[in-house]
């Protein structure tokens, strides 16, 4: 049965019961199964790597420090992003299951955006952690106590939850057309609101812009400011060797921030201004934004953090010893 057309003069309010997700544009079912191999590998690395990070930090007493508590938060956010997108992405690639209920789509959208904002907040907290560690090393543990870290975590959670709470309701008020195909294999706010054909979506656009500027926008600027202050502090230390040693502790965080913020900001710009952008480019940027950082972050921190690397080797050697 054809859904009512809201463009007609007497059209009634209409919301689709089901939306259709999109895999990689231009690829059929057989191609999707083939391309699922690297995606499965990325998901596996993300799940295993972040679970290992959490396990290692949890069982290694020497890693119970502020820097590693924030790293645990980052690993949790990466796991959240993976679990938000994995079911629908692999459902399309493996079984060609494209349909998703409207309410389920809004729920997935809410959690994807909420976890993204949380990850942005954690990266800001990690930048603050590095700034305090380098500029006030003697007061580092006195400033970033466990109660303080818990309060920071709760504040980040509240900010993400509250800032995104109106978005599902703003989408539910819209009247939608018969077209119900999305651009990605998961639900995103800009993608859903563009399916509306009768109501004015300017409120959704404005609120979405306010949210991203007040969260990701501010976070990225504060991270840049933190590193400006860190570099200024380091240059006052004196010898070049000490400068490089101090900055070396920030390399992992800089890499994590870049691989997260660049594709996220790029996708946001494409959704708002890239009407003529190739659908394949749009899809690939979304995959890079939501799948690549969770897979790369554990690798980056395992390579650059001597303490994580040492604890990982201990774990592997302990497992290798026969009982």
């Amino acid at each position: 049965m054809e859904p009512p057309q809201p463009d007609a003069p007497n059209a009634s309010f209409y919301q689709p019961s089901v939306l259709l997700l999109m895999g990689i544009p231009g690829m059929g079912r057989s191609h999707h199964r083939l391309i699922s191999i690297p995606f499965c590998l990325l998901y596996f690395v993300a799940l295993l790597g972040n679970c290992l990070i959490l396990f290692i930090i949890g069982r290694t007493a020497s890693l119970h420090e502020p820097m590693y508590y924030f790293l645990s938060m980052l690993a949790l956010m990466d796991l959240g992003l993976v679990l938000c997108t994995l079911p629908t992405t692999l459902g399309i690639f493996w079984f060609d299951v494209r349909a998703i209920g409207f309410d389920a789509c809004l729920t997935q959208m809410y959690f994807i955006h909420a976890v993204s904002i949380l990850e942005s907040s954690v990266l800001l907290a990690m930048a603050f952690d590095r700034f305090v560690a380098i500029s006030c090393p003697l007061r580092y543990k006195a400033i970033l106590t466990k109660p303080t870290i818990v309060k920071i975590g709760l504040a980040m959670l509240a900010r993400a939850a509250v800032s995104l709470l109106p978005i599902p309701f703003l989408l539910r008020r819209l009247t939608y057309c018969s077209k119900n195909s999305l651009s990605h294999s998961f639900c995103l706010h800009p993608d859903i609101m563009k399916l509306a054909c009768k109501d004015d979506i300017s409120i959704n656009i404005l609120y979405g812009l306010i949210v991203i500027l007040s969260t990701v926008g501010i976070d990225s600027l504060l991270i840049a400011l933190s590193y400006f202050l860190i570099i200024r502090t380091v240059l006052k230390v004196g010898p070049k060797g000490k400068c490089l040693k101090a900055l070396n502790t920030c390399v992992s965080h800089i890499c994590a921030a870049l691989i997260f913020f660049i594709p996220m900001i790029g996708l946001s710009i494409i959704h708002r201004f890239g009407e003529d952008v190739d659908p394949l480019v749009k899809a690939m940027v979304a995959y890079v934004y939501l799948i690549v950082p969770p897979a790369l972050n554990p690798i980056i921190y395992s390579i650059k953090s001597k303490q994580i690397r040492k604890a990982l080797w201990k774990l592997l050697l302990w497992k290798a010893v026969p009982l």
Side-chain angles (χ1 to χ4, degrees):
M1 181 180 176
E2 281 291 320
Q5 297 293 332
D7 291 330
N10 298 319
S12 59
F13 176 79
Y14 169 71
Q15 281 182 350
S17 58
V18 170
L19 296 176
L20 296 179
L21 300 170
M22 173 71 72
I24 297 179
M27 288 192 177
R29 188 170 181 178
S30 59
H31 292 100
H32 273 149
R33 285 182 175 174
L34 186 63
I35 203 69
S36 72
I37 296 172
F39 278 84
C40 287
L41 181 62
L42 285 171
Y43 277 129
F44 176 76
V45 170
L47 288 169
L48 179 64
N50 287 294
C51 286
L52 273 175
I53 291 287
L54 290 170
F55 180 74
I56 287 169
I57 293 173
R59 74 184 297 271
T60 308
S62 62
L63 298 181
H64 294 175
E65 296 181 358
M67 174 182 174
Y68 296 103
Y69 289 140
F70 289 125
L71 179 56
S72 297
M73 293 182 192
L74 183 67
L76 279 173
M77 296 311 106
D78 284 338
L79 284 173
L81 282 179
V82 167
L83 295 175
C84 282
T85 62
L86 185 150
T88 51
T89 300
L90 294 187
I92 291 173
F93 289 170
W94 285 352
F95 309 111
D96 200 30
V97 176
R98 296 180 57 208
I100 183 171
F102 186 74
D103 289 334
C105 189
L106 293 185
T107 303
Q108 185 190 45
M109 173 214 70
Y110 179 83
F111 280 105
I112 287 175
H113 290 304
V115 175
S116 295
I117 289 176
L118 279 168
E119 179 141 354
S120 172
S121 303
V122 172
L123 288 169
L124 173 60
M126 294 174 85
F128 176 69
D129 166 82
R130 291 298 82 208
F131 170 69
V132 174
I134 290 172
S135 62
C136 311
L138 300 178
R139 298 178 56 212
Y140 175 56
K141 291 185 179 179
I143 294 172
L144 289 172
T145 61
K146 285 185 181 179
T148 301
I149 292 171
V150 170
K151 289 175 185 176
I152 291 172
L154 291 174
M156 293 188 298
L157 186 62
R159 182 179 77 152
V162 172
S163 63
L164 287 167
L165 193 59
I167 288 182
F169 298 100
L170 288 173
L171 289 171
R172 291 191 70 86
R173 73 182 178 85
L174 299 174
T175 298
Y176 294 84
C177 295
S178 56
K179 182 185 176 184
N180 63 346
S181 294
L182 298 172
S183 305
H184 305 290
S185 57
F186 31 77
C187 300
L188 299 175
H189 173 239
D191 213 18
I192 300 172
M193 73 178 179
K194 287 178 182 178
L195 297 179
C197 61
K198 183 180 181 182
D199 297 316
D200 185 7
I201 62 171
S202 57
I203 294 175
N204 294 68
I205 294 172
L206 179 61
Y207 188 75
L209 186 61
I210 290 170
V211 168
I212 198 165
L213 289 177
S214 63
T215 54
V216 176
I218 289 177
D219 291 351
S220 55
L221 287 175
L222 290 176
I223 289 171
L225 176 62
S226 297
Y227 277 103
F228 170 76
L229 296 174
I230 286 171
I231 291 170
R232 192 177 71 171
T233 303
V234 165
L235 290 176
K236 292 179 181 178
V237 170
K240 186 179 179 181
K242 288 186 178 180
C243 294
L244 292 175
K245 187 177 179 180
L247 286 175
N248 191 50
T249 64
C250 304
V251 172
S252 301
H253 176 260
I254 293 170
C255 292
L258 289 175
I259 63 174
F260 176 75
F261 284 113
I262 290 174
M264 184 186 195
I265 294 170
L267 183 64
S268 179
I269 292 170
I270 287 172
H271 271 296
R272 280 166 176 77
F273 309 110
E275 293 294 334
D276 299 325
V277 172
D278 190 310
L280 179 61
V281 173
K282 187 188 293 187
M284 295 314 295
V285 171
Y287 286 129
V288 170
Y289 153 47
L290 291 172
I291 300 176
V292 172
L296 287 186
N297 284 339
I299 297 172
I300 291 169
Y301 277 93
S302 297
I303 291 172
K304 291 302 297 178
S305 172
K306 185 178 178 181
Q307 292 88 338
I308 291 284
R309 198 164 61 247
K310 186 178 177 182
L312 181 59
W313 276 114
K314 272 189 178 180
L315 175 65
L316 293 173
L317 290 173
W318 176 73
K319 289 291 184 183
V321 174
L323 297 175

